Amino acid sequence: MGTIQSIDPATGIELLSFEEDSDDIVDNKLEAAKAALPLLSAADWGGRAVWMRSAAALLESEIEDVALLITKEMGKPIAQSRAEVLKSANAMRFYADHAEEFLAGRELESPEVVNATAAGTRYEPLGVVLAVMPWNYPIWQVVRFAAPALMAGNAGVLKHASNVPQSAIYIGELFTRAGFPEGSFATLLIGSYRVAAVIRDKRIAAVTLTGSEEAGRSVAATAGDVLKKAVLELGGSDPFIVMPTADIDAAVDTAVKARISNNGQACINAKRFIVHEDIFDEFTGKFTERMSSLIVGDPSDPATEVGPLATESGRRDVTDLVEDARGKGAEIITGSSPSGPDGGWYFPPTVVTGLTPEMRLWEEEAFGPVASVYCAANLDEALRLANALEFGLGSAFWSNDEVEIDRAVRDIEAGAVFVNGMTISYAELPFGGIKRSGYGRELSMEGIREFCNLKTVWKA
Ligand code: NAP
């Protein structure tokens, strides 16, 4: 078994390292998860809601420590880490409040049409679900799976990203500390090479993965082989379209946030800015000015707006994408090469124009603060550019023309369209993608139903 390291991306210095769980430890955790199922069921909605609310309260009471841990392990600016903790606690309460209503099932009003005295549906938990999660929101990504799954009566085991073991251990213990039965939710400290064996284990009913396309392909292939349900939340290269009737200053303001939040490492960051030619120079000028004046530095300093990238390999990937575009004739208006405090994995906010289809940046996801800006002659061209990729996660459309807005909402190929705003996840709204951004939904009513058996009940 290997070791799993926690490294501070602001310095490149190791914080802690952990031994991977042995096969026996993994086996015990899966057995405990299975054993927790009848207890979760017996607790019913009310009991599970009490535990979920106390998990939310516990998380909130530990906000300062947890936020610092997130920032130390993956480099997110500290204010954003605090916001992540609060958002997670709110989602836990949201599901404590609404799970029963979301999973209420229904009764047929005229059961005689199906030759029954009563007939209808009910939602039941599937069992133990494996969650394979990324490092970019080390607490939120886990909670948005765990809160609905546990409230539905499922148990969960988590394989978190290998660069955030401290966050993984914290969230793996939170639910049982709050009162959930032992084994209901636990972290498996394992490398990704062991995920397939866990999916194949008979005690695992289903799997959810948030991460890259490559990981999605691998998890979906194994789940397909053993015919288990899978939900995939994969990458995106979200378009952010700006039309001439838009409020340009507001669009610039939001565009900057949409590109650099989470140091540019969110699946739903706007990554491609598609701007109508009439306002291209104005938008690009103002946007570039703002991007180049952002404060890059130590993420635990409250003044910092952009911290380091989470991993050294992530910074190499972003550098390669930008260098490939430069080599093929793109114009780098600001930013471009790794820079920042010594030892840290910093990459400056960067704006690129003049992109062409032979550049990797044209169609690959830039997981860092790199904005690609495209010029479109009209709405048709803007939509064509937006839909040109195989991704379909989020999108933003800026305009004050209702006809244009209707058309964009209908024609953008994505799991979400945000009009005059930026894509954000809300517990109240379903979240997920189409095309190579994955399948299935998280959050809201649709998310909690993903890991349930919709059982039809018919009575003579
Ligand atoms: P990643 O390398 O795919 O890792 C995500 C998780 O999958 C980690 O736990 C990782 O474990 C595991 N993993 C990697 N390869 C695997 C394999 N072959 N089989 C099984 N598990 C595997 O992704 P990342 O770099 O951490 O995250 C960035 C990607 O996630 C981006 O593409 C981003 O857009 C996407 N993302 C999507 C959403 C969404 O909701 N759609 C949200 C956030 C992020 P190890 O760490 O041990 O390799």
Side-chain angles (χ1 to χ4, degrees):
M1 302 294 156
T3 54
I4 297 184
Q5 285 177 298
S6 179
I7 299 177
D8 182 351
T11 59
I13 293 170
E14 181 182 286
L15 302 166
L16 281 172
S17 86
F18 301 85
E19 284 295 309
E20 266 193 46
D21 283 350
S22 65
D23 288 340
D24 282 348
I25 293 176
V26 170
D27 187 62
N28 289 342
K29 288 179 179 173
L30 293 181
E31 208 47 40
K34 197 173 160 227
L37 290 170
L39 303 173
L40 286 161
S41 173
D44 216 341
W45 304 110
R48 296 195 294 268
V50 167
W51 296 331
M52 190 56 73
R53 285 195 192 95
S54 74
L58 192 54
L59 177 61
E60 250 173 18
S61 72
E62 294 170 348
I63 183 166
E64 290 309 319
D65 290 346
V66 182
L68 193 59
L69 176 58
I70 294 173
T71 292
K72 278 282 171 206
E73 265 196 326
M74 57 67 69
K76 188 185 315 240
I78 188 72
Q80 293 180 36
S81 296
R82 285 197 196 97
E84 177 175 339
V85 172
L86 291 178
K87 181 172 179 166
S88 302
N90 286 340
M92 290 172 172
R93 293 199 182 95
F94 174 79
Y95 278 110
D97 291 346
H98 296 290
E100 184 173 5
E101 156 204 339
F102 289 160
L103 299 181
R106 66 188 170 94
E107 283 297 311
L108 229 56
E109 273 177 25
S110 310
E112 62 282 2
V113 300
V114 294
N115 304 318
T117 56
T121 59
R122 52 192 289 171
Y123 287 92
E124 294 194 339
L126 281 185
V128 183
V129 183
L130 168 66
V132 183
M133 290 290 150
W135 44 263
N136 62 344
Y137 293 88
I139 301 298
W140 166 245
Q141 293 289 356
V142 179
V143 165
R144 77 181 190 180
F145 156 72
L150 288 168
M151 280 308 303
N154 292 299
V157 286
L158 166 69
K159 182 272 179 276
H160 215 327
S162 294
N163 56 323
V164 289
Q166 296 192 71
S167 303
I169 291 168
Y170 175 83
I171 195 73
E173 292 172 348
L174 179 73
F175 294 99
T176 37
R177 284 172 64 215
F180 275 93
E182 208 56 47
S184 307
F185 193 83
T187 282
L188 309 177
L189 276 182
I190 57 173
S192 57
Y193 67 99
R194 293 169 72 193
V195 166
V198 178
I199 297 172
R200 288 179 187 281
D201 190 288
K202 285 201 163 47
R203 290 162 292 193
I204 292 293
V207 58
T208 182
L209 168 110
T210 299
S212 60
E213 274 182 71
E214 199 185 318
R217 244 178 242 116
S218 160
V219 162
T222 309
D225 193 36
V226 286
L227 296 174
K228 291 184 184 174
K229 164 100 186 229
V231 167
L232 300 180
E233 297 285 2
L234 308 179
S237 190
D238 287 2
F240 186 107
I241 300 174
V242 190
M243 299 298 288
T245 57
D247 176 338
I248 306 295
D249 289 335
V252 167
D253 210 42
T254 304
V256 173
K257 275 191 219 119
R259 181 55 285 211
I260 59 103
S261 76
N262 215 39
N263 302 336
Q265 302 162 117
C267 51
I268 49 171
N269 280 135
K271 292 169 186 137
R272 296 179 298 137
F273 298 84
I274 301 168
V275 185
H276 191 281
E277 63 184 10
D278 291 354
I279 48 158
F280 183 82
D281 289 343
E282 182 188 356
F283 176 91
T284 309
K286 289 178 171 171
F287 179 62
T288 304
E289 197 183 313
R290 291 281 308 282
M291 288 286 279
S292 57
S293 55
L294 290 163
I295 303 168
V296 179
D298 176 0
S300 55
D301 180 341
T304 292
E305 292 170 290
V306 183
L309 299 192
T311 63
E312 195 168 16
S313 64
R315 182 170 72 163
R316 204 165 36 242
D317 291 345
V318 172
T319 309
D320 289 350
L321 281 180
V322 173
E323 286 313 314
D324 172 78
R326 189 207 303 274
K328 291 172 182 162
E331 187 189 350
I332 317 293
I333 320 182
T334 185
S336 96
S337 36
S339 60
D342 277 351
W345 301 321
Y346 291 89
F347 196 91
T350 296
V351 179
V352 186
T353 59
L355 287 136
T356 54
E358 54 280 2
M359 298 171 188
R360 291 178 53 206
L361 198 49
W362 179 276
E363 62 178 29
E364 291 183 36
E365 176 183 25
F367 221 52
V370 176
S372 304
V373 188
Y374 297 80
C375 184
N378 49 43
L379 181 58
D380 284 338
E381 191 182 1
L383 293 173
R384 217 169 25 247
L385 282 166
N387 293 336
L389 302 196
E390 285 302 314
F391 290 119
L393 192 54
S395 63
F397 185 74
W398 282 73
S399 166
N400 279 307
D401 177 326
E402 286 303 326
V403 175
E404 273 179 4
I405 291 173
D406 283 352
R407 166 114 195 268
V409 167
R410 187 192 64 200
D411 289 350
I412 292 179
E413 296 166 2
V417 182
F418 280 64
V419 178
N420 295 327
M422 61 187 262
T423 305
I424 297 179
S425 60
Y426 293 99
E428 295 80 359
L429 287 171
F431 184 97
I434 58 168
K435 304 204 275 190
R436 274 175 20 210
S437 292
Y439 44 75
R441 289 292 179 268
E442 290 192 289
L443 299 175
S444 191
M445 178 173 75
E446 291 75 9
I448 195 171
R449 291 180 171 181
E450 288 284 4
F451 295 113
C452 290
N453 171 21
L454 176 58
K455 187 180 274 179
T456 296
V457 182
W458 182 99
K459 289 181 187 155

